[in-house]
């Protein structure tokens, strides 16, 4: 079965969703699903990519999230590659509630690692293929500010403002 893609408009910019057999394998703020497709594993890329009009549950979750149901994205199944350590970090990241933020060191602790694993937490965020469903935008540097974000700081700021009710 091919990877199915849909692009949804959002106030933060177009959001491409890629799904395989009902499980989200990539999502990101781009109008071109090929950009996300290129980041997938060779095994998934071998399945090919097709655009669809409606991905169903994942697309509805985005609409619900934008309408104020901030936990809607949590119910969408996701899958992305990674070592057991990275999977621990991604799981812990998905458990950070909307409207809150953590530091990279706090994310490491939530994943059962020492605070000194903050760099590993940052690496997991940088390699995250399923934003905002795996909410790396909720992780901030301990030194203050927003830090980096694959899709730009403006998108990160919009997501955090939306979740805190200030937008």
């Amino acid at each position: 079965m091919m990877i199915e893609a849909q692009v949804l408009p959002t106030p933060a910019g177009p959001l491409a969703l890629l799904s395989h057999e009902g499980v989200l394998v990539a999502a990101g703020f781009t109008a071109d699903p090929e950009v996300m497709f290129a980041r997938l594993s060779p095994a998934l890329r071998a399945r090919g990519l097709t655009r669809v009009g409606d991905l169903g549950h994942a697309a509805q979750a985005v609409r619900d999230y934008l309408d104020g149901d901030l936990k809607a994205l949590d119910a969408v199944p996701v899958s992305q590659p990674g070592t057991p350590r990275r999977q621990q970090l991604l799981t812990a990241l998905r458990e950070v509630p909307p409207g809150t933020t953590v530091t990279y060191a706090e994310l490491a602790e939530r994943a059962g690692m020492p605070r000194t694993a903050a760099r590993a937490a940052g690496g997991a965020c940088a390699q995250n293929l399923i934003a905002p469903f795996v909410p790396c935008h909720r992780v901030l540097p301990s030194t203050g500010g927003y830090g980096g974000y694959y899709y730009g700081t403006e998108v990160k700021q919009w997501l955090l403002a939306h979740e805190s009710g200030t937008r």
Side-chain angles (χ1 to χ4, degrees):
M1 186 168 179
M2 294 184 85
I3 305 297
E4 297 179 321
Q6 179 181 1
V7 178
L8 295 166
T10 80
L15 178 62
L17 308 178
L18 280 67
S19 179
H20 180 250
E21 298 180 351
V23 176
L24 214 55
V25 294
F29 289 92
T30 177
D32 184 1
E34 290 282 346
V35 170
M36 298 305 306
F37 185 73
R39 296 179 68 197
L40 295 177
S41 70
L44 283 175
R45 286 195 316 268
R47 296 184 173 280
L49 179 70
T50 185
R51 285 191 186 224
V52 297
D54 187 8
L55 279 178
H57 179 60
Q60 186 59 50
V62 171
R63 289 188 286 271
D64 292 345
Y65 171 82
L66 294 172
D67 286 342
D69 179 359
L70 301 179
K71 294 187 178 228
L73 304 181
D74 298 344
V76 175
V78 300
S79 177
Q80 60 184 312
T83 63
R85 185 175 179 174
R86 173 145 307 154
Q87 293 300 324
Q88 285 176 264
L89 287 160
L90 293 172
T91 297
L93 185 52
R94 207 141 191 236
E95 293 168 356
V96 176
T100 64
T101 59
V102 297
T103 66
Y104 293 100
E106 289 168 338
L107 178 60
E109 282 185 324
R110 287 172 178 236
M113 300 171 192
R115 290 179 69 81
T116 53
R119 187 176 300 272
C125 289
Q127 297 299 314
N128 177 25
L129 295 177
I130 312 176
F133 294 81
V134 178
C136 50
H137 63 275
R138 297 180 190 150
V139 184
L140 302 174
S142 59
T143 55
Y146 289 98
Y149 189 62
Y150 191 87
Y151 302 103
T153 307
E154 316 77 39
V155 173
K156 185 173 189 171
Q157 288 173 317
W158 188 92
L159 291 166
L160 291 172
H162 173 66
E163 292 179 0
S164 68
T166 58
R167 188 160 301 269

